[in-house]
Amino acid sequence: MKNSLLSTINNPADLRQLDEAQLPQVAQELRNFIIDIVSVKEGHLGASLGVVELTIALHYVFDTPNDLLVWDVGHQAYGHKILTGRRENFHTNRQLGGISGFPKRSESIYDAFGVGHSSTSISAALGMAIASNLKGDYDKQHIAVIGDASIASGMAFEGLNHAGVTNANLLVILNDNAIGIDPSVGALKKYLTAVKEGKNPRQNNMIKSLNFDYSGPIDGHDIFAVIKELKRLQKVKGPKFLHVITTKGKGLQQAEENQVKYHAPGKFDAATGELHIKSEANLPPKYQDVFGLTLLDLARKNEKIIGITPAMPSGSSLKFMMDELPERAFDVGIAEQHAVTLAAGMATQGMIVFCNIYSTFLQRAYDQVIHDVALQNLPVIFCLDRAGLVGEDGATHHGVFDLAYLRCIPNMIIYAPMNEIGLQNILYTAQLGLNHPISIRYPRGRGVIGEWQVKNFGNYNKIKIGTAVCLQKGSKVAVLSNGTIGNNVTLAIAKQQHPETIAHYDFSFVKPLDEKLLHMIFTSFENVITIEDGVIKGGFGSAILEFASSNNYTSKIKTLGIPDEFIEHGTVGELQQYCKIDVKSLEMLFSNF
């Protein structure tokens, strides 16, 4: 058996001491290392396996960290982390107190730019390259590694457009594997496929037209070919573009054959690649499936319903509608701004548009929400998946800002269901016709109702906009909850010695608020607690404080939610505990009344 080379590499300087002929062995060991850890600890698998050779080649050729390497999104950066001093603690990846699942500037000098959302690498690396020129450092290299799904985003094109008229020492590497999380879509994907297959005349090269020195496509798994081309490009000045062809999941058969499933597969057998199947019998449904199945059912009955998602058909469960009604369900690629304004355009023509975007990604389309939808009072139905704390993806992905950033927008209705029935009923209500846009937020993961589909599917009830519900009467303190975090309140009250002292109200509507019920609460209770799975500043609790202030109520109000800091990664339970919105923390708080 060969001696381990990977165990001798503590940083890229160690890697560069090796003979080039030894690098295929490093690649095999690195691939095995990633598979062994991720199979047990979970995380993003396929993307990192696909760029093993490219990662090694980049650190072998370039003088990192002096040369600056920017990974787009960061799903593919596990190999990079392992080669840059984090091999020994890679097993803590995405765990509370462990290393981040994404590149992060505060974690390592080799992480030149923090990422998590897509399509930022070209702009960031270009900014670094222009800064180097201004400082008189014309030899420093600046490399952006971006995937074919990410480069289709508008921001990536903005970066390319600017870079092409500069003399910046920038190398853009297109990691082309024809897939993001779901398969890549759109005209650019067809163009890249034609280039790969040699069907596109070289004089038609759109990258060259943007004043880039284009080379490729080359086989991204031929480490010697990649190194040779990187060394050549190292000597070329100005903006350069290298087209590299890779296979997502390379080296693990199942990951190559089922690239969607093995993007982040959960636990699996490292030797065989077989997934460890968890029994889902009698479990409550995922909120994503409640959305997807309900929307499909409504769309069958209402021909005006449209579904839109930016690159997340599987994750959002819009895939159900895309498979059955493909002419009315659209994956627009990583293009959140386009998704929102596309929805607005359709809404002007009387279509009922469900625009499904993860909460953290809607941040990227904030201007479009205000300018193109709310200002024109178009009844677009925003379905904000992954709202609240999302767990191991951490600070870049927590959907905790939407209540605050949407609440200040005129015309916007905001609703967060407490359970699956609330979600299906608001979807039903929205498609009946609203006079305003609405944002419906719900979390990642499972609901609370076992056999929801058997018991409740299709039994729709119209919800009156702006109404709250008393779940339990009480004598001493009123707890006002918004969304699914209210289930923690219910459980905590049930554990009290004197549960009759705690009143619980479900304020699913953050906007408009049920002011009639609020007047009753503030005239009846001296102590009011608000709780939300979102930031405290500007969110639901702030809305209650504003109401109390404007009406001169003097009750004591305690707001619970996400504190004014970026919350790191960990399980949802651990992070709720940190924010003191878990069942045990609430139980202790309620016992004081």
Side-chain angles (χ1 to χ4, degrees):
M1 183 178 173
K2 294 179 182 175
N3 291 327
S4 169
L5 293 175
L6 185 62
S7 63
T8 68
I9 301 170
N10 296 310
N11 55 60
D14 294 337
L15 175 69
R16 294 190 277 268
Q17 295 300 313
L18 298 178
D19 189 277
E20 198 172 309
Q22 296 176 289
L23 298 183
Q25 182 185 333
V26 176
Q28 187 59 54
E29 290 180 19
L30 182 56
R31 205 167 250 121
N32 292 343
F33 188 86
I34 292 170
I35 290 170
D36 286 346
I37 298 290
V38 176
S39 68
V40 176
K41 300 292 186 177
E42 304 187 13
H44 295 106
L45 179 70
S48 286
L49 293 183
V51 294
V52 163
E53 287 83 5
L54 177 60
T55 303
I56 293 168
L58 285 166
H59 283 295
Y60 191 73
V61 171
F62 293 104
D63 182 27
T64 54
N66 296 313
D67 288 335
L68 300 173
L69 176 58
V70 180
W71 297 92
D72 209 272
V73 186
H75 287 145
Q76 73 277 43
Y78 286 3
H80 160 80
K81 291 200 167 210
I82 293 161
L83 293 175
T84 55
R86 288 165 277 186
R87 184 185 70 248
E88 291 300 318
N89 58 356
F90 184 69
H91 66 281
T92 69
N93 185 44
R94 293 161 50 89
Q95 296 178 14
L96 187 69
I99 64 171
S100 169
F102 300 95
K104 187 175 180 183
R105 278 171 53 83
S106 61
E107 187 177 289
S108 171
I109 57 171
Y110 292 93
D111 292 358
F113 200 74
V115 291
H117 291 183
S118 86
S119 316
T120 61
S121 60
I122 297 173
S123 297
L126 176 60
M128 295 168 185
I130 292 172
S132 292
N133 281 355
L134 291 171
K135 292 191 287 187
D137 188 349
Y138 301 107
D139 294 323
K140 187 187 284 280
Q141 305 279 341
H142 313 84
I143 307 106
V145 183
I146 187 166
D148 55 287
S150 295
I151 205 169
S153 171
M155 186 177 175
F157 270 88
E158 291 168 26
L160 289 171
N161 182 55
H162 183 192
V165 294
T166 72
N167 61 350
N169 199 9
L170 172 70
L171 170 59
V172 176
I173 297 178
L174 174 61
N175 171 33
D176 185 356
N177 59 18
I179 189 167
I181 294 176
D182 284 277
S184 301
V185 296
L188 184 63
K189 185 258 181 87
K190 290 185 177 180
Y191 166 80
L192 292 172
T193 300
V195 171
K196 284 187 280 191
E197 294 175 353
K199 295 177 182 175
N200 186 70
R202 294 193 75 81
Q203 63 269 27
N204 287 353
N205 190 296
M206 64 185 293
I207 305 299
K208 277 188 173 180
S209 300
L210 294 171
N211 294 330
F212 276 77
D213 182 318
Y214 173 92
S215 60
I218 65 171
D219 179 0
H221 301 300
D222 182 344
I223 196 165
F224 303 118
V226 175
I227 288 173
K228 182 180 177 183
E229 186 58 20
L230 291 179
K231 285 183 174 178
R232 185 187 75 80
L233 290 168
Q234 210 175 11
K235 301 182 184 76
V236 177
K237 297 298 182 185
K240 306 167 286 283
F241 191 101
L242 174 59
H243 189 171
V244 176
I245 310 301
T246 63
T247 300
K248 189 170 183 178
K250 180 73 173 176
L252 186 67
Q253 185 179 349
Q254 288 88 339
E256 292 185 35
E257 293 172 354
N258 192 339
Q259 295 175 329
V260 174
K261 175 71 76 176
Y262 281 79
H263 171 74
K267 292 180 176 153
F268 62 94
D269 187 301
T272 67
E274 292 300 316
L275 298 178
H276 295 324
I277 305 297
K278 299 174 187 172
S279 173
E280 297 189 355
N282 303 317
L283 288 177
K286 294 177 181 175
Y287 281 102
Q288 291 66 40
D289 290 346
V290 175
F291 161 79
L293 292 168
T294 302
L295 183 62
L296 175 58
D297 185 55
L298 295 170
R300 287 172 180 149
K301 302 164 186 172
N302 186 339
E303 292 183 354
K304 289 187 175 181
I305 288 178
I306 301 287
I308 296 173
T309 185
M312 294 295 166
S314 296
S316 70
S317 292
L318 188 66
K319 194 85 167 57
F320 293 127
M321 185 176 173
M322 287 177 69
D323 288 345
E324 186 171 321
L325 302 169
E327 72 284 356
R328 287 197 279 139
F330 302 91
D331 173 5
V332 300
I334 301 176
E336 293 85 3
Q337 294 174 315
H338 167 62
V340 171
T341 305
L342 178 72
M346 288 182 171
T348 67
Q349 302 305 301
M351 306 309 284
I352 298 167
V353 191
F354 288 80
C355 186
N356 184 296
I357 301 181
Y358 291 8
S359 169
T360 184
F361 297 151
L362 188 65
Q363 294 162 192
R364 298 164 68 97
Y366 192 56
D367 178 58
Q368 287 70 24
V369 173
I370 295 175
H371 184 274
D372 299 341
V373 176
L375 181 61
Q376 304 185 88
N377 203 19
L378 294 170
V380 173
I381 303 158
F382 293 106
C383 299
L384 304 194
D385 195 341
R386 271 56 169 190
L389 296 165
V390 296
E392 290 84 355
D393 277 344
T396 56
H397 282 62
H398 293 313
V400 296
F401 301 105
D402 56 90
L403 290 178
Y405 72 64
L406 292 172
R407 194 172 69 82
C408 61
I409 302 175
N411 294 329
M412 183 65 71
I413 300 168
I414 305 172
Y415 182 89
M418 187 168 166
N419 55 33
E420 300 92 309
I421 295 171
L423 177 54
Q424 71 168 25
N425 284 339
I426 197 64
L427 295 172
Y428 167 75
T429 302
Q431 59 89 46
L432 292 174
L434 295 173
N435 297 321
H436 304 285
I438 184 170
S439 295
I440 303 164
R441 76 186 305 260
Y442 49 92
R444 180 186 186 194
R446 295 191 179 275
V448 293
I449 301 171
E451 297 185 325
W452 159 80
Q453 221 169 329
V454 175
K455 296 175 185 173
N456 300 289
F457 186 68
N459 298 322
Y460 304 119
N461 290 300
K462 185 177 179 181
I463 295 173
K464 186 178 178 183
I465 302 298
T467 55
V469 178
C470 178
L471 301 176
Q472 174 171 316
K473 293 182 178 179
S475 58
K476 288 190 176 179
V477 60
V479 182
L480 284 51
S481 66
N482 168 257
T484 57
I485 200 71
N487 295 297
N488 283 9
V489 175
T490 300
L491 292 170
I493 292 174
K495 294 185 176 183
Q496 295 299 304
Q497 278 190 307
H498 299 287
E500 70 280 358
T501 61
I502 314 289
H504 183 197
Y505 298 88
D506 171 26
F507 273 78
S508 288
F509 284 100
V510 172
K511 191 176 183 181
L513 286 168
D514 188 336
E515 295 196 353
K516 183 179 177 182
L517 184 57
L518 281 174
H519 282 298
M520 187 281 291
I521 290 169
F522 277 100
T523 52
S524 304
F525 293 92
E526 290 183 8
N527 291 286
V528 174
I529 298 170
T530 70
I531 181 168
E532 61 200 294
D533 192 8
V535 291
I536 292 173
K537 292 190 180 297
F540 167 61
S542 291
I544 302 302
L545 287 166
E546 289 162 16
F547 172 86
S549 175
S550 63
N551 289 282
N552 297 314
Y553 287 119
T554 57
S555 306
K556 291 179 183 174
I557 303 172
K558 183 174 182 62
T559 57
L560 300 176
I562 311 305
D564 188 24
E565 62 185 90
F566 288 106
I567 304 299
E568 296 299 336
H569 46 277
T571 66
V572 171
E574 288 169 337
L575 300 180
Q576 284 188 357
Q577 187 176 8
Y578 176 80
C579 297
K580 296 183 170 51
I581 55 175
D582 61 304
V583 174
K584 193 168 184 181
S585 297
L586 295 175
E587 197 182 328
M588 292 172 63
L589 176 65
F590 297 163
S591 66
N592 293 326
F593 292 97

